[in-house]
Amino acid sequence: MAKLTKLTSRITAVLTLSVIAFFFFMTVFGKKESFSIAENRKLADIPEVSLDGLYDGSDVDQLGYYVTDHFAGREEWISAKTIMQAELSEQIVNGIYIGKDRLLDAEVSLRTPASVNADIFSRYAENYDGTVYFAAIPSSSGVYGDLLQARGISRSDSQQITAFYEFLSNDIRKIDAYNILKMLNENYIYYRTDTKWTTYGAYCVYKTVIQKLGFLPTLYDKYSIQHITDDFRGNLYKKVLSAKVKPDIIDIYSYPDGAEVLSCEKTTNSGDTVESELYDLDMLDSSDMYSVFLGESAPLIKIRTSVKNDKKLLVIKDSYADCFIPFLIQHYSEIAVVSPEDMQKELSEYININDYSQTLFMFGVENLGNRSNLEKIIERN
Amino acid sequence: MVYSSLLYIYGFLPISLMLYYLTPRKWREITILLLSIAFCGMISLYFLIFISVFTIINYCCIKLIEKFRRNEKLASVPLVFGIVFDLLALFAFRTEYFTWLHRLIKAPEGFFPIGISFFVLSATGTLIDVYKKRLSCRCSLMRFSIYIMFFPKLIMGPLLRYGSFSKLLDSRKSSLSGIGVGMTVFVKGLAKKVIIADNLYMLYRSVQSSNFNEISAVTAWLGITAYIFCLYFTLSGVADMGTGIAYCFGIRLPHSFNYPLLSSRIKYFAARWQSQVVQWLRRYITKPLYNSSEKKWLWEAVFIFGWSLFGFWYTFDLNGLVFGALMGAFIITEARLREKKIMELTGIFYTFLIVILCSVFLSGSSFSYSVKYFLVMIGGNGTIADTQAFYLTKSYIVLILLAMYASTDLFRNMMTRSGKKKLKIALNIVSPMVVAVLLIICTALISYSGSSEMLLLKL
């Protein structure tokens, strides 16, 4: 019997060491990509060894990220993890809740509260002559949070938006997108695999927003709707690579009898202006299909339309607004779309805000905690 | 760098094993030291400098004590200096009152010397042993450095005396079957940490992040049960990983935990939970006190004091102290009350209850929080169970049952003490496969973030 035990140990040693050796060599000699299409992100680079980096250990941390990102078969490992972890615990993997028919961000409580940044917008309004509107958009876990009773997420986004609106100055007109969306949550208003709303979700809020801005909304049956893909997998999917939830459909709404886009100029960070379009269908072949709306991100996009009313609107936004902008072209002769996330300089370097009589802020509440991005819209004194 | 990371398992571990076995036998001790230095250096170069300076200062104290051996009074000077230095190092990093000192020694932002609670006790114990002439062997700088820095026991012990460790180093036996046993223990530890502890931590966190004034009694119980299991599986998992790796190098470190959680008496729990640290406290602190206390109540007071220190060692705040004191008090009460034999199951039940009660204090952030938490557990919020409690129970029941089974010695007994020959052969045939599969499962579970660094307590 002792002999048998010894043999077993030997077999164990050979077996485990070969597993380790196999993945060691596969990882060391495997092909290295610098960008992961499945996860839609840049993978970690091998650290450049420096004395400072060794001194505080950051070089080895970086090496750890490098090994992790380039570990042989990473995508398969993550898919396998998602399947196993969901069995072990409450269906939450890598901070993502894997429900029967949708994925949700389960770490909402870790976000920086939006209300701490309310002062930025109030200060913007002080230096601005026109009217300011604000639409804070909940993320999918705010609208479908009931699926996640145990984490108190159901209330989180609505509370955040309420608190944020309370801190905003009274000069800013607030739009309650949360309750509109919450009421309609039987419909396909949020992507199943992304935190963002669908084009239909954006349309439902558009109807309210445009009335506040002083126009009548375009009726739903005037649009012709085009499904441009049924294979969209959003930012939540990229973290779990789980095939359990169906991929999403992206829709484009067009109004054939309505106003047309005359020009759509993008200003890049280098200062060049490039002609582009409202939709960039080439993006369907990239790892980030959502960029179909407005195409590749840029700090400033100026859209001129065939509407003849000399009304100009400034939209300061994050990616939530990308699918919302096309609805506005029926009402304004010029729309300037500013994305603080992509700005490298201050706002005044791109645009004079007082050329526009109305400003619409449209942000997902998940992005309102990021102070360093938002701060760029006010002058630093 | 932690043991449960891809960089360690698929990088450092295979390379270090290869280097070790390629070195000729007589040089292998140097290889161990160099590997330990590399490990410390990979945590950060500053940590390597820190631990080297710590080692050298302690070594100098030891040499001075040895030199003044004849004159006890003179020898006590380096002894006292060494102890004060060690304790200062311990308190400086485990409490919050010494940020000025961190600035003085130019520690990088957020620096924490991992394993400091273990290596400080190791060094202090050696100082006292040398002073009391209890050390049979001479202390060499190389051996002492390995003793402090040996990477498999750096993070989670076990806490050994210099003499015992030195003997283990001398009696190194390396063989392929030894590596097999080592890898089995390592993978067992990894599975404890990654499969059980990390997921129970999510349950604990999810109770923690709920609104404290609204949670039901059942939820509170789930939370604290998750905590104690998570604590056990984290500590013992990391310790097992270390022991396993040491085994691969032919060094047979003892186990820190011997299936304590579901013991049938509190006494047994106490004897099986991180026993080396308890033994250290007994040897260097409480034993001299016992000898001078003749009355029974005095003896008991010292006993409780010893346990309070043990609890304090975990958290370095009042809560840990209360945890230890309660534990000690319960052990004494049990010893006084329990004369008759009672059913084993009843024993397991009340022991677990007491452990949970005590760990309410270990887990809390402040004393008042723990008291409030305890009140919630007995229904202080007016609800016994709500939807959250049902949801959490439904989600985690499998894992909790798995954790319960894994924290008993039933499986080990089946492996080693089963009389049935057929069962034994069958177990031996499947066990290599099981180990390999567990390794792969754990790799998958850490694949997303690359490591599982949650340690619950910074020791």
Side-chain angles (χ1 to χ4, degrees):
Chain A
M1 199 46 83
K3 254 188 186 169
L4 179 68
T5 323
K6 214 168 184 182
L7 182 69
T8 310
S9 300
R10 283 193 188 140
I11 297 173
T12 313
V14 172
L15 206 59
T16 47
L17 290 182
S18 12
V19 170
I20 291 178
F22 177 75
F23 286 106
F24 174 76
F25 286 116
M26 288 298 281
T27 305
V28 172
F29 298 111
K31 196 162 165 270
K32 307 282 188 295
E33 307 281 349
S34 60
F35 187 86
S36 161
I37 293 172
E39 293 180 69
N40 187 29
R41 68 184 181 91
K42 200 175 166 299
L43 298 176
D45 290 325
I46 201 157
E48 281 170 30
V49 179
S50 69
L51 201 60
D52 280 348
L54 287 173
Y55 186 73
D56 61 11
S58 57
D59 274 353
V60 179
D61 289 345
Q62 180 68 28
L63 183 66
Y65 301 137
Y66 178 77
V67 170
T68 307
D69 279 0
H70 298 276
F71 195 70
R74 173 171 167 86
E75 284 157 30
E76 287 77 14
W77 286 114
I78 294 178
S79 305
K81 173 190 171 144
T82 304
I83 294 167
M84 288 190 291
Q85 182 115 45
E87 291 304 315
L88 283 170
S89 62
E90 45 176 329
Q91 311 274 320
I92 293 177
V93 182
N94 306 339
I96 308 297
Y97 169 80
I98 301 176
K100 249 207 330 270
D101 39 33
R102 64 171 59 247
L103 305 172
L104 291 176
D105 180 4
E107 285 181 345
V108 179
S109 48
L110 299 180
R111 289 182 199 154
T112 323
S115 46
V116 298
N117 292 329
D119 62 305
I120 295 176
F121 302 102
S122 305
R123 272 164 68 191
Y124 176 90
E126 271 171 36
N127 297 327
Y128 180 61
D129 305 331
T131 329
V132 182
Y133 302 84
F134 205 109
I137 314 299
S139 66
S140 60
S141 33
V143 176
Y144 293 94
D146 305 344
L147 297 172
L148 269 167
Q149 304 137 342
R151 299 220 150 196
I153 285 172
S154 48
R155 279 154 291 137
S156 171
D157 274 15
S158 67
Q159 280 172 346
Q160 283 229 17
I161 293 174
T162 314
F164 175 71
Y165 280 176
E166 266 171 35
F167 278 98
L168 278 185
S169 103
N170 287 330
D171 300 339
I172 300 177
R173 312 209 175 154
K174 294 123 197 164
I175 294 152
D176 180 12
Y178 177 80
N179 281 314
I180 301 170
L181 293 164
K182 181 82 185 169
M183 270 195 325
L184 294 166
N185 76 1
E186 302 273 292
N187 301 301
Y188 190 50
I189 54 168
Y190 275 87
Y191 294 117
R192 291 180 288 259
T193 61
D194 200 290
T195 49
K196 291 189 281 290
W197 55 4
T198 60
T199 321
Y200 182 62
Y203 174 74
C204 299
V205 174
Y206 150 78
K207 284 193 290 187
T208 308
V209 171
I210 207 67
Q211 285 181 36
K212 287 237 180 189
L213 291 168
F215 300 92
L216 282 175
T218 310
L219 293 177
Y220 185 71
D221 44 10
K222 297 239 169 119
Y223 290 106
S224 75
I225 297 166
Q226 191 190 352
H227 298 315
I228 53 168
T229 179
D230 54 3
D231 197 27
F232 168 55
R233 293 174 190 274
N235 54 13
L236 296 173
Y237 169 83
K238 311 277 182 199
K239 286 190 184 164
V240 289
L241 307 182
S242 157
K244 206 177 156 193
V245 172
K246 270 198 295 180
D248 279 296
I249 300 166
I250 296 184
D251 287 342
I252 286 182
Y253 285 42
S254 49
Y255 182 20
D257 308 332
E260 287 167 37
V261 175
L262 299 178
S263 73
C264 180
E265 279 177 356
K266 254 182 202 177
T267 307
T268 58
N269 265 315
S270 51
D272 306 332
T273 353
V274 224
E275 189 59 29
S276 80
E277 279 174 78
L278 225 42
Y279 302 104
D280 182 356
L281 293 180
D282 292 345
M283 282 296 177
L284 288 178
D285 299 325
S286 76
S287 59
D288 181 21
M289 288 190 191
Y290 185 78
S291 293
V292 160
F293 300 106
L294 302 186
E296 242 172 276
S297 56
L300 171 68
I301 306 172
K302 262 190 194 170
I303 303 166
R304 290 197 181 81
T305 71
S306 59
V307 176
K308 292 198 176 74
N309 62 359
D310 284 338
K311 294 217 172 189
K312 289 173 157 192
L313 174 71
L314 172 60
V315 184
I316 300 180
K317 58 95 199 179
D318 63 5
S319 55
Y320 274 78
D322 289 356
C323 64
F324 182 89
I325 303 288
F327 293 111
L328 297 172
I329 58 168
Q330 302 304 327
H331 309 282
Y332 289 92
S333 63
E334 184 182 327
I335 303 166
V337 181
V338 170
S339 163
E341 198 187 335
D342 302 301
M343 277 165 37
Q344 281 170 4
K345 292 172 279 187
E346 283 180 15
L347 183 60
S348 56
E349 304 267 339
Y350 296 97
I351 208 164
N352 178 9
I353 53 174
N354 285 319
D355 288 348
Y356 298 85
S357 57
Q358 289 175 312
T359 296
L360 170 66
F361 284 106
M362 180 170 277
F363 284 92
V365 67
E366 61 177 320
N367 297 324
L368 279 173
N370 191 337
R371 191 165 182 97
S372 59
N373 265 345
L374 302 174
E375 244 174 0
K376 293 177 212 157
I377 63 163
I378 46 171
E379 304 288 322
R380 255 162 270 161
N381 303 320
Chain B
M1 191 162 54
V2 288
Y3 306 139
S4 46
S5 68
L6 294 178
L7 180 61
Y8 183 84
I9 304 172
Y10 294 96
F12 191 86
L13 182 62
I15 292 173
S16 62
L17 275 176
M18 207 172 65
L19 287 178
Y20 179 76
Y21 283 100
L22 286 179
T23 328
R25 250 165 226 282
K26 58 179 174 181
W27 302 109
R28 281 185 183 173
E29 216 171 300
I30 298 176
T31 314
I32 290 182
L33 179 62
L34 290 178
L35 287 172
S36 299
I37 288 176
F39 186 83
C40 293
M42 280 178 82
I43 291 172
S44 70
L45 214 53
Y46 186 84
F47 177 68
L48 179 62
I49 297 168
F50 177 86
I51 198 167
S52 308
V53 170
F54 178 87
T55 309
I56 289 166
I57 289 182
N58 271 289
Y59 183 72
C60 290
C61 290
I62 289 171
K63 283 292 136 187
L64 283 176
I65 296 171
E66 276 179 355
K67 199 174 173 192
F68 302 137
R69 221 169 200 162
R70 301 255 164 80
N71 184 342
E72 245 186 47
K73 267 185 194 156
L74 204 58
S76 67
V77 176
L79 173 74
V80 171
F81 173 79
I83 293 179
V84 169
F85 172 77
D86 289 354
L87 289 182
L88 184 69
L90 185 59
F91 276 85
F93 286 100
R94 293 232 36 203
T95 60
E96 289 160 4
Y97 309 113
F98 290 87
T99 36
W100 55 272
L101 192 67
H102 297 186
R103 256 174 273 133
L104 195 71
I105 58 173
K106 298 207 162 45
E109 191 75 21
F111 172 73
F112 180 81
I114 194 162
I116 189 163
S117 315
F118 289 96
F119 66 72
V120 160
L121 293 193
S122 303
T124 316
T126 313
L127 285 175
I128 298 173
D129 277 349
V130 172
Y131 177 76
K132 296 226 165 165
K133 305 187 182 80
R134 288 195 290 216
L135 213 60
S136 50
C137 50
R138 303 248 331 147
C139 197
S140 78
L141 180 59
M142 187 161 100
R143 274 277 160 99
F144 188 70
S145 307
I146 298 179
Y147 174 57
I148 298 293
M149 295 198 235
F150 185 48
F151 68 94
K153 78 177 193 61
L154 183 71
I155 300 182
M156 203 52 84
L159 187 60
L160 290 172
R161 275 179 282 132
Y162 179 77
S164 332
F165 184 76
S166 201
K167 260 182 226 150
L168 287 177
L169 264 185
D170 282 332
S171 60
R172 260 176 302 141
K173 262 189 245 142
S174 33
S175 65
L176 190 60
S177 64
I179 296 181
V181 176
M183 285 312 292
T184 310
V185 178
F186 175 77
V187 172
K188 187 177 100 184
L190 186 66
K192 275 177 164 178
K193 171 79 178 68
V194 174
I195 299 181
I196 300 183
D198 283 356
N199 285 302
L200 280 176
Y201 183 68
M202 278 174 57
L203 171 57
Y204 170 63
R205 269 266 309 279
S206 122
V207 174
Q208 280 266 304
S209 59
S210 316
N211 188 344
F212 186 67
N213 295 317
E214 285 174 8
I215 61 172
S216 65
V218 173
T219 313
W221 276 92
L222 278 174
I224 196 68
T225 312
Y227 176 81
I228 188 70
F229 275 113
C230 180
L231 183 67
Y232 167 66
F233 281 101
T234 307
L235 298 184
S236 73
V238 178
D240 280 354
M241 281 188 260
T243 318
I245 300 156
Y247 223 104
C248 292
F249 291 97
I251 298 167
R252 303 185 172 186
L253 298 177
H255 287 285
S256 307
F257 294 85
N258 185 17
Y259 307 98
L261 264 188
L262 297 177
S263 303
S264 57
R265 296 187 76 169
I266 309 173
K267 196 171 91 178
Y268 299 152
F269 168 82
R272 292 168 182 177
W273 182 278
Q274 213 147 43
S275 44
Q276 286 90 9
V277 180
V278 182
Q279 278 161 16
W280 189 96
L281 289 168
R282 189 178 306 144
R283 184 180 165 96
Y284 297 106
I285 297 180
T286 51
K287 204 176 170 200
L289 293 175
Y290 285 138
N291 293 341
S292 58
S293 53
E294 282 153 16
K295 293 201 179 77
K296 196 182 176 192
W297 68 268
L298 211 60
W299 191 91
E300 286 171 351
V302 172
F303 185 83
I304 293 176
F305 169 70
W307 268 87
S308 311
L309 280 182
F310 180 54
F312 185 71
W313 177 79
Y314 275 113
T315 61
F316 274 73
D317 62 13
L318 177 70
N319 272 36
L321 205 71
V322 174
F323 161 79
L326 278 176
M327 213 63 225
F330 279 121
I331 297 168
I332 287 179
T333 324
E334 184 189 51
R336 281 198 178 180
L337 290 179
R338 191 171 159 176
E339 303 285 321
K340 279 176 287 176
K341 265 202 151 187
I342 57 168
M343 284 269 291
E344 192 156 297
L345 211 60
T346 325
I348 290 176
F349 184 70
Y350 84 77
T351 307
F352 192 63
L353 221 57
I354 296 293
V355 171
I356 286 217
L357 173 67
C358 295
S359 56
V360 169
F361 289 93
L362 198 59
S363 74
S365 51
S366 72
F367 185 68
S368 59
Y369 175 88
S370 297
V371 172
K372 269 190 226 149
Y373 194 93
F374 181 68
L375 289 177
V376 174
M377 279 169 66
I378 55 174
N381 280 345
T383 40
I384 301 298
D386 54 8
T387 46
Q388 186 191 17
F390 285 122
Y391 168 79
L392 288 176
T393 316
K394 205 186 90 206
S395 307
Y396 285 99
I397 188 71
V398 177
L399 189 64
I400 290 176
L401 290 177
L402 185 72
M404 278 188 171
Y405 178 72
S407 57
T408 62
D409 51 9
L410 292 172
F411 187 75
R412 193 222 19 211
N413 289 352
M414 191 165 75
M415 281 293 279
T416 55
R417 295 185 195 152
S418 162
K420 288 176 195 150
K421 210 173 171 187
K422 268 189 187 162
L423 179 71
K424 233 176 172 179
I425 291 172
L427 282 174
N428 267 304
I429 290 169
V430 293
S431 87
M433 288 308 291
V434 172
V435 174
V437 168
L438 275 179
L439 176 65
I440 287 172
I441 291 178
C442 293
T443 308
L445 288 178
I446 56 175
S447 64
Y448 179 69
S449 58
S451 66
S452 119
E453 296 190 358
M454 182 277 302
L455 279 179
L456 215 56
L457 294 172
K458 267 184 165 182
L459 291 177

